[in-house]
Amino acid sequence: MLVERARILSELGELIECVHSGRGGGVAVITGPVAVGKTELTHSLAEIAEEGELKVLRARMCLTGSQGHRELFEQLTGSLRPEAQRSAGMFAGEKPDAVDDARPVPGGALAPSPVRAAEEIARYSHRSPLLIVIDDLHHADPDSLDGILHLVRLCRTARIMMVLVASDSSYEHMPLFHAELLRAPHYRRVRLRPLSRVGVAEVVADSLGREVAERAAADYYRYSGGNPLALRALIQEWSSTRFTDEAGPETTRGGVPTPGKVSALAVFTSLHRSGPQAMAVARGIALLGPAAGLDLLCQLLGSTPEDVTRQLQDLEAAGVLGGFRFRHPGVAQVVLADPQFHGIRELRHAAAALLEADGHSSLQVARHLIAADIVAEPWTIPVLRESAREAVGHNDWDFALKCLRLALRGALTDEERGLVVSEFLRVGWRQNPARVTKYFQECFELQQKGHVPDAETLTLLTIFLWHGHIEDAVTMLLDVADRCADGPLRTEIQHFLDWARLSHPGLLDRIRRADEHLLNRLLETSATSLRPLTSLSLALCETGHANVPATAQEVLADRRLTGDTAGAVLQALLYAGELGPAERWVARAVQDPGRLATPLSRGMHQAVCAEIARRRGDLPGAQQLAERALAHLAPRAWGVALGLPLSVLVAVHTARGDTERAAEHLSWSVHPETYQTLYGLHYLQARGRHHLAVGQYTAAQRDFRACEDRVRSWGLAPPVLAPWRLGHAEAALALGDRGEARRVTESELNQARGRHPHLRGAHLRVYARLVDRSRRRDVLTDAAELVADGRDRYQHFLVLTDLSRAHQEADDTARARVTGQQAWHSAVRCGAERLARTLLPESAVTAAEETAAVPDQRLNTAMLSEAELRVAELAAAGETNREISGKLFITVSTVEQHLTRVYRKLRLSGRADLRACLATEPGVGAKMPEHCAPGG
């Protein structure tokens, strides 16, 4: 890479010609920053010398004591002496036994002194001209320098050209030596610089082509600074990755550099060769990052501005730095990872102290404290706490935890420890709830001693309840309420109680037993200005009259709503049968990255989506979502909330006819306090369904009655929260208690169920077993119409199955066969084929499968895009264009365009044909909405 070096090489070539022609020797000193091509220039010069029949002797100076160190003149004469002895025996006038001026060398041999060796080399030059290249001259010892100067003086009459390669700093370290060189014959001083922009463009053009150079040379110059070593590494880096880049050709098209580790290591090599002082400055810049400046560098390194400035100038001249920044973006990381960077922890702590004193951000300071893993001074605790809060604001929960963990290791007062422990619980709970349990007892004791602020205590109650520490939570709440029942925190306490009424209804009974007067005073509220959450909790109580969907919508519309409150609201909506508002909220949560930034929030989000999918009759989707939810957190980390995803899996496997897998999930350990929450209602209902499926009717009835008893004791409204009554009626019917089954079923059917036709249809299916056979088909036909909208595909399958049997009992074979086929198609859509094979006659299943096998009767999903398939399945399920638009977050016009393409691709005339085709497509059902997708 001799670009921009031709003129220098030509001038040095003239000196070689002088030596070759016998006109005397000469001396050239080549200086410049590291890695700018000094050594490569000497190699080219050596090739010219060898062409002119000059013998080339090379030596490289090393720091004394370094590995591979050899005396300078031992390196030069080592190859010269054997050749001389072979050609002419001893040198003229040399005494073989002269050892008076010799010195020992490694291995026990003797080497001549530098002066005698210089004379030996000069004598040899009379026989054959020499080019002597000495690299890294700045490491030479005084004796070697004396020998070099002696050899320089001999060059006046000898045929020797000497090339000395040294750093720029050598003029300061050895000024007398350079002054002596000025008197040498044919003296030349050459200072190499990094390549210019034009030079870089020329190198890129030679390597990658002129077109690439015109487009990307500026980037190569920006990252390399013209440093030939870095530039060559960048070009080779691109050449080695352009054919294997997994990101595709777009990332490397046109030869645009993508600085990586190889080129960063090339720059790092240059730094090491620059000497310890330059490396110290580079390490300081890597540590301080954007905050690096002359003043901070001087303080960090304990050096003077003059010394630091000199090193900065040298590194900038070498193309390594641009101001106080590395040109290559990966160099800082390599510098900090250097195993020879001893004392980095102490230096990081010093950098943190400097940045804190200089007023830099807490996050920047904390990163140094965490990397140093040192927390020995009082000022570090507030910095770490502030950094944790900032990190949470940026959704960097991992870093927030690191800050608080380090703070906990400091020498804290009780007040400081109360603050740090409570903050650690809040942050750690969202990342992994299982890892914070060991701090509960300490936090409780600190709170009781008054070392945890009241506002902080209220935020901790949710965490204590999550892990079933009910008594501690009650004690802490009463402690705060005694002081704040009429103070500024009263609203926060009331908000917590409203949330607890929805999510942990049993908590209110425990508080009431402890202090009923205080609880009643806290629950007091003005009827004219109800808080939204209060309105919703009252609407779900026995005395509530508010419209649940409208009230819930008001709560969910609050942008300040936390994930904890939202979870309780969503569960309440699910039990109230209001799936629409619940679906809209979980869809909105996906659009706000902050809501799903932690494993806890993602796990809860997918658990709620799983329950929504289960209630929609999408059994495979519900199973997938519940499994993904459990993948985010270990079972113990779920606390009492484990009842939610676990109940979905039990219910789904039971509904699909896989009672063995349902039993496996029922064997999981569930926290006893789970049954005092809405999660416990989910679990009891799912367990009751499993008992019912395996013929354990008494156990099933016990679970369904437990749900009823808990709801009544909590003051929740059975007409709203009563999905288990269906199971209760079925269990009573299975036990032969037709009177109880009729009582429960008729009670439900007499309720106002206009908003929930699918629930009424489900009760009609059970009620049909209690009426005369002459009426049974009419009741089931009504039920089928109520559930035909596809909002609960599993219930649709069950109703059609019973209706097919009713037709068979009435000897209406044709209708029985058609209805049986429809039931099978519905079972396939909801994922209940295994159960359907046990409930439906073989003829219905076989006929349906044969119909599905007809090619032009099937929905060829491969022909449709993913967006078209989603629209097609929702349209086939009975959704209007506007409903599809709202569910998929696209315009009505886009829905119409998708449907038009679907009809054209599948050669269908409209929705009726689409519904028929979809019903015959095995394994195809309405896919879960994107906001419930089991990713992440």
Side-chain angles (χ1 to χ4, degrees):
M1 193 179 291
L2 292 174
V3 174
E4 299 184 331
R5 306 294 191 249
R7 181 183 59 80
I8 296 173
L9 193 61
S10 176
E11 291 179 358
L12 296 178
E14 293 177 1
L15 294 181
I16 292 177
E17 182 60 31
C18 290
V19 172
H20 187 267
S21 63
R23 288 177 285 167
V27 178
V29 177
I30 302 177
T31 63
V34 294
V36 293
K38 298 189 293 293
T39 300
E40 186 172 10
L41 180 64
T42 63
H43 285 310
S44 299
L45 195 61
E47 293 177 1
I48 295 174
E50 289 173 345
E51 291 176 359
E53 298 182 353
L54 272 72
K55 182 174 180 58
V56 179
L57 304 181
R58 300 191 69 98
R60 181 171 179 267
M61 298 304 304
C62 298
L63 288 172
T64 304
S66 62
Q67 186 176 7
H69 171 70
R70 291 174 62 198
E71 296 283 350
L72 169 65
F73 283 95
E74 180 193 352
Q75 297 179 55
L76 294 176
T77 61
S79 59
L80 193 61
R81 188 186 299 267
E83 181 178 338
Q85 290 176 347
R86 286 195 303 269
S87 60
M90 298 297 174
F91 293 135
E94 184 177 9
K95 298 179 181 180
D97 58 344
V99 295
D100 57 312
D101 199 18
R103 62 179 64 190
V105 297
L110 294 176
S113 69
V115 171
R116 283 180 53 83
E119 293 175 350
E120 177 181 328
I121 294 171
R123 287 194 299 272
Y124 181 86
S125 70
H126 293 294
R127 180 178 296 112
S128 175
L130 299 175
L131 170 65
I132 298 176
V133 179
I134 301 176
D135 211 347
D136 291 339
L137 180 71
H138 44 279
H139 294 318
D141 59 275
D143 287 344
S144 296
L145 292 177
D146 288 342
I148 293 172
L149 286 176
H150 188 60
L151 186 56
V152 168
R153 297 185 192 102
L154 296 175
C155 285
R156 293 181 180 275
T157 58
R159 294 193 297 170
I160 298 174
M161 177 181 176
M162 297 185 65
V163 177
L164 308 178
V165 182
S167 67
D168 285 336
S169 61
S170 65
Y171 288 98
E172 299 175 11
H173 298 154
M174 48 183 74
L176 295 178
F177 176 84
H178 282 283
E180 285 290 329
L181 290 180
L182 294 174
R183 300 160 59 183
H186 304 297
Y187 174 75
R188 293 287 189 278
R189 176 187 173 188
V190 177
R191 186 178 189 277
L192 295 187
R193 292 178 174 81
L195 299 177
S196 66
R197 294 177 183 271
V198 175
V200 169
E202 187 175 342
V203 172
V204 174
D206 290 342
S207 302
L208 305 177
R210 183 63 58 185
E211 182 179 351
V212 172
E214 292 176 357
R215 180 169 51 249
D219 291 321
Y220 281 99
Y221 182 80
R222 176 159 53 95
Y223 295 130
S224 69
N227 185 293
L229 181 64
L231 178 60
R232 183 186 297 112
L234 283 168
I235 293 173
Q236 292 175 347
E237 200 169 42
W238 176 83
S239 300
S240 64
T241 59
R242 58 176 174 162
F243 298 115
T244 60
D245 194 337
E246 295 180 359
E250 292 297 324
T251 60
T252 56
R253 186 172 57 188
V256 176
T258 51
K261 191 170 184 179
V262 173
S263 51
L265 286 171
V267 179
F268 179 68
T269 301
S270 300
L271 288 171
H272 257 299
R273 292 172 58 185
S274 298
Q277 292 180 324
M279 178 57 80
V281 171
R283 287 169 173 169
I285 290 175
L287 280 172
L288 294 174
L294 182 59
D295 183 51
L296 284 180
L297 277 173
C298 291
Q299 294 182 63
L300 181 65
L301 302 177
S303 186
T304 65
E306 293 76 17
D307 288 341
V308 173
T309 299
R310 187 182 306 111
Q311 300 303 325
L312 288 171
Q313 291 172 345
D314 289 346
L315 291 176
E316 189 161 5
V320 174
L321 294 180
F324 290 94
R325 305 289 183 271
F326 291 110
R327 287 181 172 274
H328 191 295
V331 172
Q333 183 179 355
V334 176
V335 169
L336 296 179
D338 181 8
Q340 297 183 30
F341 192 170
H342 305 298
I344 186 173
R345 290 182 57 204
E346 292 74 13
L347 206 58
R348 276 194 177 278
H349 190 268
L354 287 173
L355 292 174
E356 165 65 12
D358 212 39
H360 288 271
S361 73
S362 296
L363 275 176
Q364 194 173 358
V365 175
R367 293 191 190 281
H368 286 290
L369 291 175
I370 290 171
D373 197 31
I374 298 174
V375 55
E377 301 176 38
W379 64 266
T380 61
I381 304 303
V383 168
L384 291 169
R385 289 183 56 216
E386 176 64 25
S387 299
R389 286 192 291 270
E390 288 186 37
V392 168
H394 298 144
N395 288 323
D396 191 352
W397 298 82
D398 285 332
F399 184 75
L401 273 179
K402 290 178 182 178
C403 291
L404 295 172
R405 281 198 188 97
L406 184 59
L408 284 172
R409 289 168 42 197
L412 305 173
T413 64
D414 287 344
E415 288 78 11
E416 288 175 330
R417 191 155 189 88
L419 291 171
V420 176
V421 168
S422 58
E423 290 170 358
F424 180 83
L425 282 176
R426 277 193 295 104
V427 176
W429 175 62
R430 294 188 179 277
Q431 277 296 86
N432 188 341
R435 293 182 180 175
V436 301
T437 55
K438 64 181 180 180
Y439 291 98
F440 278 178
Q441 184 60 35
E442 180 184 10
C443 183
F444 176 74
E445 293 173 356
L446 288 168
Q447 192 278 332
Q448 292 295 291
K449 294 177 182 178
H451 299 314
V452 178
D454 290 336
E456 193 71 22
T457 299
L458 292 176
T459 66
L460 296 176
L461 295 178
T462 301
I463 304 173
F464 275 73
L465 292 177
W466 176 277
H467 285 286
H469 291 245
I470 307 298
E471 298 305 327
D472 287 349
V474 170
T475 302
M476 293 165 66
L477 175 62
L478 292 176
D479 178 62
V480 174
D482 280 340
R483 291 188 296 274
C484 307
D486 298 309
L489 285 179
R490 178 182 180 182
T491 301
E492 297 299 323
I493 298 174
Q494 289 175 325
H495 186 86
F496 170 78
L497 293 175
D498 289 337
W499 169 83
R501 184 159 25 197
L502 294 174
S503 60
H504 294 71
L507 180 67
L508 296 185
D509 285 338
R510 300 196 186 189
I511 299 175
R512 185 174 287 107
R513 289 196 297 269
D515 193 332
E516 182 175 7
H517 174 72
L518 178 62
L519 178 64
N520 292 336
R521 184 151 55 96
L522 290 171
L523 291 176
E524 288 177 359
T525 185
S526 171
T528 59
S529 59
L530 289 178
R531 299 178 301 278
L533 196 57
T534 305
S535 300
L536 181 61
S537 62
L538 293 177
L540 296 175
C541 292
E542 294 276 11
T543 58
H545 302 289
N547 184 292
V548 172
T551 307
Q553 189 64 34
E554 184 180 359
V555 176
L556 294 173
D558 187 356
R559 287 287 174 180
R560 298 168 299 175
L561 186 66
T562 65
D564 310 327
T565 306
V569 173
L570 290 171
Q571 287 184 81
L573 288 174
L574 293 178
Y575 269 119
E578 300 295 341
L579 299 186
E583 288 178 319
R584 286 191 289 274
W585 193 89
V586 295
R588 193 184 82 189
V590 173
Q591 298 172 347
D592 182 358
R595 292 190 186 273
L596 302 179
T598 64
L600 174 65
S601 59
R602 290 192 293 271
M604 280 299 296
H605 176 267
Q606 291 186 332
V608 170
C609 285
E611 177 62 14
I612 292 174
R614 185 192 72 81
R615 289 174 179 266
R616 289 294 193 196
D618 181 6
L619 303 181
Q623 177 183 336
Q624 190 179 23
L625 284 162
E627 290 171 347
R628 289 291 298 176
L630 290 172
H632 284 294
L633 297 172
R636 189 166 61 89
W638 278 90
V640 297
L642 180 63
L644 181 57
L646 198 57
S647 66
V648 172
L649 289 175
V650 172
V652 164
H653 289 310
T654 301
R656 303 186 76 175
D658 194 349
T659 55
E660 293 83 2
R661 291 191 66 184
E664 290 177 8
H665 289 293
L666 284 172
S667 68
W668 289 25
S669 177
V670 177
H671 198 289
E673 292 294 346
T674 299
Y675 301 103
Q676 299 304 315
T677 69
L678 287 187
Y679 308 117
L681 293 183
H682 284 273
Y683 184 78
L684 284 172
Q685 185 186 357
R687 191 174 71 182
R689 277 285 165 193
H690 176 262
H691 289 325
L692 196 61
V694 298
Q696 298 174 356
Y697 304 128
T698 301
Q701 194 171 53
R702 186 165 53 247
D703 281 339
F704 293 132
R705 281 178 173 168
C707 291
E708 182 102 7
D709 293 342
R710 279 172 171 75
V711 165
R712 288 194 180 279
S713 68
W714 295 340
L716 300 178
V720 177
L721 302 176
W724 47 84
R725 286 193 166 192
L726 181 65
H728 184 183
E730 291 180 278
L733 191 59
L735 289 169
D737 191 350
R738 297 177 65 85
E740 176 67 5
R742 182 180 292 273
R743 182 190 68 79
V744 173
T745 305
E746 289 181 346
S747 173
E748 286 299 301
L749 292 174
N750 288 331
Q751 300 293 333
R753 293 290 177 184
R755 292 199 309 271
H756 310 299
H758 63 281
L759 187 57
R760 182 176 181 84
H763 281 282
L764 283 175
R765 179 178 64 82
V766 177
Y767 185 69
R769 304 179 195 176
L770 301 170
V771 301
D772 296 335
R773 289 190 176 185
S774 58
R775 294 181 53 205
R776 186 167 299 167
R777 285 200 293 175
D778 293 337
V779 173
L780 287 171
T781 299
D782 291 342
E785 292 178 356
L786 289 170
V787 299
D789 61 359
R791 294 182 184 275
D792 187 343
R793 297 192 293 276
Y794 180 69
Q795 200 59 236
H796 187 224
F797 148 65
L798 294 177
V799 171
L800 290 178
T801 298
D802 285 3
L803 182 57
S804 176
R805 289 176 172 176
H807 285 314
Q808 190 66 42
E809 291 172 356
D811 294 327
D812 192 342
T813 306
R815 287 189 177 182
R817 183 175 63 255
V818 173
T819 307
Q821 293 176 10
Q822 292 174 342
W824 171 254
H825 295 323
S826 187
V828 170
R829 291 186 61 205
C830 70
E833 301 97 323
R834 179 172 177 172
L835 180 63
R837 292 184 185 278
T838 66
L839 299 180
L840 292 169
E842 184 64 27
S843 59
V845 176
T846 303
E849 289 179 336
E850 289 176 351
T851 303
V854 179
D856 57 1
Q857 288 293 315
R858 297 184 62 194
L859 177 60
N860 187 355
T861 58
M863 298 175 62
L864 304 180
S865 68
E866 184 178 350
E868 291 167 352
L869 183 58
R870 285 199 303 269
V871 171
E873 289 173 336
L874 290 173
E879 302 279 356
T880 67
N881 288 1
R882 188 166 297 280
E883 288 172 334
I884 296 172
S885 168
K887 189 163 291 187
L888 298 181
F889 302 99
I890 58 179
T891 65
V892 175
S893 174
T894 303
V895 174
E896 294 171 349
Q897 293 171 17
H898 283 325
L899 284 176
T900 299
R901 286 193 291 270
V902 168
Y903 296 151
R904 185 180 68 251
K905 289 180 179 181
L906 303 179
R907 299 179 181 178
L908 302 176
S909 60
R911 289 191 180 227
D913 290 347
L914 181 62
R915 189 175 297 112
C917 287
L918 186 61
T920 59
E921 173 66 4
V924 175
K927 291 187 177 179
M928 66 188 74
E930 289 182 355
H931 56 263
C932 293

